[in-house]
Amino acid sequence: MNSIKACIFDLDGVIVDTAVYHYKAWKRLANSLGFDFTEEQNEKLKGVSRVRSLELILQWGGITKTAAEQEVLATEKNTWYVEMINHMKPDEILPGAKEFVQSCRDAGIKTALGSASKNSMMILEKIGIVDLFDAIIDGNKVSKAKPDPEVFLKGAEAVGVAPADCVVFEDAIAGIQAAIAGGMKAVGIGSPEVLTEANLVISGLDKMSIEKLDEL
Ligand code: G6P
Ligand code: MG
């Protein structure tokens, strides 16, 4: 008997690969401030909020900015980022993602989105899968960043399922930690060497099935 009653999905890196757009926008910002920003550094920003990402980038560039200046810079980066995601198409959904979320629904399992991104809704609209989720909790609805479990607890609450009966799909270490802190199961999307705390690690949702939920 399957006890999983809800699946909660992170967006960036699980449903779509927006890391490349974040990278281009942050790099443009860093370059405009006179320093470079590498793909390795971008990796460290997965699951990290916009404000915190900027703090880290400024730190790596050895630059200090006031809070007001940081707000302007974060807005500038987001404008460039939005310009890019505005062109996203349904074919950018990662392999198997749409199919697995749909198979959850077919099996009577609730589905929720739990993302730090304030641009979640726009991305879901562009790729045409807003209706696949029973609840959408994004960066506009939470005040505490992952690894705090707030985003996932709100997702569980919104679909009326106890945390212990939820499983979270995440590509970021902080996201896996948030799921565990919330008393949920966690499936990592990525490498087992990195996502060591997850109950199961797969390379993508194309490797997931309803049957595998029983093994968690
Ligand atoms: C996700 C991404 C992060 C991003 C954050 C905030 O967690 O993995 O790289 O910084 O969302 O996204 P936003 O679209 O609100 O800037
Ligand atoms: Mg992510």
Side-chain angles (χ1 to χ4, degrees):
M1 174 67 192
N2 197 341
S3 73
I4 299 297
K5 296 188 178 69
C7 286
I8 307 179
F9 300 87
D10 173 46
L11 178 63
D12 296 297
V14 173
I15 306 282
V16 281
D17 186 13
T18 46
V20 56
Y21 302 128
H22 281 297
Y23 173 61
K24 284 184 184 168
W26 283 130
K27 189 178 170 72
R28 185 169 168 185
L29 188 81
N31 292 166
S32 77
L33 295 168
F35 58 92
D36 206 12
F37 172 63
T38 65
E39 288 191 50
E40 289 69 40
Q41 288 170 326
N42 192 56
E43 278 298 304
K44 298 200 175 88
L45 302 181
K46 279 188 179 172
V48 178
S49 75
R50 196 183 308 167
V51 173
R52 181 67 190 138
S53 296
L54 177 63
E55 281 172 6
L56 287 169
I57 290 167
L58 292 175
Q59 206 175 304
W60 293 330
I63 280 186
T64 314
K65 294 280 177 190
T66 65
E69 286 168 336
Q70 286 187 29
E71 213 178 301
V72 173
L73 293 173
T75 302
E76 200 171 16
K77 179 266 175 178
N78 193 56
T79 304
W80 296 329
Y81 178 67
V82 168
E83 269 168 22
M84 287 185 276
I85 59 171
N86 196 25
H87 295 109
M88 285 183 85
K89 297 271 178 316
D91 66 4
E92 287 186 66
I93 301 174
L94 286 169
K98 190 174 178 180
E99 292 77 7
F100 180 67
V101 183
Q102 184 62 56
S103 66
C104 289
R105 294 176 69 94
D106 295 343
I109 295 167
K110 297 281 184 196
T111 59
L113 190 91
S115 168
S117 174
K118 294 184 174 174
N119 297 301
S120 294
M121 208 56 195
M122 178 180 180
I123 295 170
L124 292 178
E125 277 166 7
K126 291 287 167 190
I127 60 174
I129 59 166
V130 176
D131 295 343
L132 276 187
F133 299 96
D134 295 305
I136 294 171
I137 310 296
D138 67 12
N140 300 297
K141 293 185 180 164
V142 294
S143 54
K144 291 177 231 143
K146 300 168 188 177
D148 188 283
E150 184 186 15
V151 65
F152 297 138
L153 290 175
K154 284 197 167 161
E157 197 186 348
V159 296
V161 173
D165 297 329
C166 294
V167 54
V168 166
F169 294 84
E170 255 291 349
D171 69 317
I173 296 171
I176 300 286
Q177 291 169 339
I180 293 167
M184 303 177 183
K185 301 264 171 45
V187 174
I189 307 289
S191 140
E193 286 80 44
V194 178
L195 305 172
T196 52
E197 294 170 63
N199 299 89
L200 166 74
V201 181
I202 50 175
S203 58
L205 287 176
D206 54 341
K207 301 288 186 310
M208 196 59 203
S209 64
I210 298 296
E211 292 70 44
K212 280 191 185 167
L213 290 175
D214 286 327
E215 298 162 21
L216 297 173

